[in-house]
Amino acid sequence: MKIYDYVIIGTGVAGLNAARLIPKDKKVLILCKMSTWNCNTFWAQGGIASAVDENDIPIHINDTLTAGVNYNDKKTVELLSKKSISTIKNLIAAGMKFDVNEKGELAYTKEAAHSRNRILHADGDATGRMMHVFLLEHCEHVILTQSVVCDLLIKDDICYGVQYFTSETEQKVVYAHNTIIASGGVGSIYRYHTNSTANAGEVQGIIAEKGLPLKDMEMMQFHPTVVRGTNFARKPLLSEALRGEGAYIVDENGYRFLFDYHKDGELAPRDVVSRSIFDYNKKTGLGVFLSFETFEKKAFKKRFPNIYSNLKELGYELPFERVPISPAFHYSMGGIETTLEAKVKGMKNLYAIGEVACTGVHGANRLASNSLLEGLVFSEIAVETSLKENFKINPENYDKPIITYVRNKEIDKDIKDNLREIMWTHAGIVREPKNLEKSLEIIEGYLKQNVGRLLFLRLLTAKSILKSALERKKSLGAHYIKENE
Ligand code: SIN
């Protein structure tokens, strides 16, 4: 029987950076659900936050905690910020190219809730894509695409490997000494989102099924500025860096209403901006727009080339025209509970990194552009820990039956659509306990139906979001409760 040293689930920043750091002589298999670019990293625009220098570490920590409403795990935030400088330095030394200013120095920009410019970017507004391309180019291990994970082989506190679909009907098992989960967030269980379609929270569902800990699942982040009125569930993002550099939000009469909600207006923490847009639109019925009139065209095109051309395709001439916006689901702060060593809590050789994990770094509201950083830092930690511990499984000790799953069933489509609608309407920007309760009942009903394996796992994830939302009785950060009327 072939045993890999590592199986990595996911090819976003966290999974690929882990792969880059694992020595070439190790046997590594990377499972990718769709195609390699089908991940949230690929779509990340704004950039990657980092402490600019030693003096900036306490300020970056403080900004992260303030945005996270001090619900963050302080130790993890300190670790993230302290490691950010060396992590970025190492990445640049390995060949990653970030944008530089006229003097050839790293060009840092600003995003909401950062008290100084500390966001690195690449190809203007295509930071995620450039990083993804860089990491793929530096990946020396095998990537299997169209490999959809449907189970983890877990007995006691050891993970023996992974079971995955290779087609609609076929499935395989791979054994590994170390398993690293880097499968991303839950965007596709929401009606409107900014995520890759691959991110549907199935692995979080497996963790729930095994009775392993998920944490802060109610903490879902909604990005304030996506383009309204396009056809697909995945909405085009208008990076927060636009607001960081002067774009602002107005109603259809040109009024900057965000200052009525927070002293920092458009640059208030993301949860505040999203909720204020939602509330203002509901109260006044007025449309909400992003205005770019502070930009000069040539500079705008140079700094935001991809946003410029994407919006042109949608019929907008930037920076002259304002664009209708609304918030959409963006990022899951909660996820698989991990330790400071990036291990799944309670497990010996199972790691979770990136958006799928809940390290506690983001608290109740993630500070913009801390996510790519988290993926890089915690993938480094997972690889360092696993190399040091050199844990070995004995596959003969795994004596549980391997179940043959049915991937999809005919009834799945309608339930999937309803699930997205329910989560968007009732586990969204503003939540009401009575609606959360009703939604949970519906999801529990779906779970009793004979659905396909992938939908079953999504439903388990949705259930854990709804349960956590119901358990948190008071509003905190991204979890905002409207009292029953
Ligand atoms: C953005 O460019 O606005 C996204 C940044 C992030 O989500 O951290």
Side-chain angles (χ1 to χ4, degrees), residues 24 37 103 123 149 171 178 183 187 224 244 259 274 285 297 316 335 347 351 364 368 399 460 470:
K24 195 164 183 246
W37 56 268
K103 292 189 204 144
D123 191 23
V149 171
Q171 42 209 287
N178 296 285
S183 50
F259 287 95
S274 289
K297 177 161 178 176
Y316 296 98
M347 297 296 293
Y351 296 80
D399 50 9
L460 285 181
L470 273 165

Side-chain angles (χ1 to χ4, degrees), residues 242 245-248 291-296 319:
L242 290 160
E245 295 184 31
Y248 55 82
S291 166
F292 309 88
E293 67 176 18
T294 50
F295 290 93
E296 185 271 316

Side-chain angles (χ1 to χ4, degrees), residues 45-46 111 223 237 239-240 270 330 366 368-369 371:
Q45 292 179 345
E111 290 181 6
H223 197 289
L237 185 67
S239 172
E240 204 151 296
R270 196 172 276 182
H330 187 56
R366 178 176 61 89
S369 288
S371 46

Side-chain angles (χ1 to χ4, degrees), residues 70-88:
N70 280 300
Y71 179 64
N72 324 54
D73 182 314
K74 288 203 180 70
K75 270 201 187 129
T76 328
V77 176
E78 279 165 17
L79 182 66
L80 178 85
S81 190
K82 283 182 185 154
K83 275 186 89 72
S84 67
I85 298 174
S86 61
T87 296
I88 296 295

Side-chain angles (χ1 to χ4, degrees), residues 417-436:
D417 288 346
N418 292 348
L419 169 67
R420 289 190 194 106
E421 195 62 50
I422 289 169
M423 296 304 283
W424 173 253
T425 315
H426 300 306
I429 299 171
V430 174
R431 298 149 180 199
E432 292 184 58
K434 65 175 191 304
N435 291 334
L436 288 168

Side-chain angles (χ1 to χ4, degrees), residues 119-281:
I119 321 282
L120 291 166
H121 45 89
D123 191 23
D125 51 2
T127 315
R129 194 175 72 212
M130 299 310 283
M131 193 169 300
H132 194 248
V133 168
F134 167 81
L135 292 171
L136 271 180
E137 280 171 0
H138 287 76
C139 180
E140 300 192 287
H141 302 292
V142 176
I143 300 178
L144 288 185
T145 57
Q146 308 300 333
S147 301
V148 184
V149 171
C150 57
D151 212 348
L152 295 170
L153 311 186
I154 289 177
K155 189 182 159 207
D156 303 324
D157 51 5
I158 295 172
C159 180
Y160 290 85
V162 177
Q163 185 175 348
Y164 60 101
F165 290 108
T166 55
S167 70
E168 190 54 37
T169 49
E170 280 166 55
Q171 42 209 287
K172 281 191 178 156
V173 164
V174 55
Y175 290 88
H177 298 303
N178 296 285
T179 298
I180 301 182
I181 306 169
S183 50
V186 305
S188 282
I189 65 171
Y190 278 87
R191 174 102 166 78
Y192 301 113
H193 59 82
T194 60
N195 288 194
S196 150
T197 44
N199 290 92
E202 285 111 358
V203 181
Q204 289 87 329
I206 299 174
I207 292 293
E209 188 180 45
K210 306 287 173 201
L212 288 169
L214 292 170
K215 189 168 182 291
D216 300 341
M217 291 299 280
E218 73 281 21
M219 296 299 177
M220 297 288 148
Q221 183 168 72
F222 293 80
H223 197 289
T225 56
V226 309
V227 181
R228 188 159 45 83
T230 58
N231 285 332
F232 299 103
R234 203 190 76 72
K235 297 290 169 196
L237 185 67
L238 291 165
S239 172
E240 204 151 296
L242 290 160
R243 278 175 283 135
E245 295 184 31
Y248 55 82
I249 293 170
V250 289
D251 70 12
E252 60 194 48
N253 302 317
Y255 176 58
R256 284 176 78 174
F257 61 91
L258 280 165
F259 287 95
D260 298 347
Y261 288 88
H262 193 284
K263 67 175 177 36
D264 295 333
E266 289 85 4
L267 295 180
R270 196 172 276 182
D271 60 326
V272 175
V273 178
S274 289
R275 205 158 45 244
S276 306
I277 293 173
F278 179 88
D279 182 69
Y280 188 77
N281 172 260

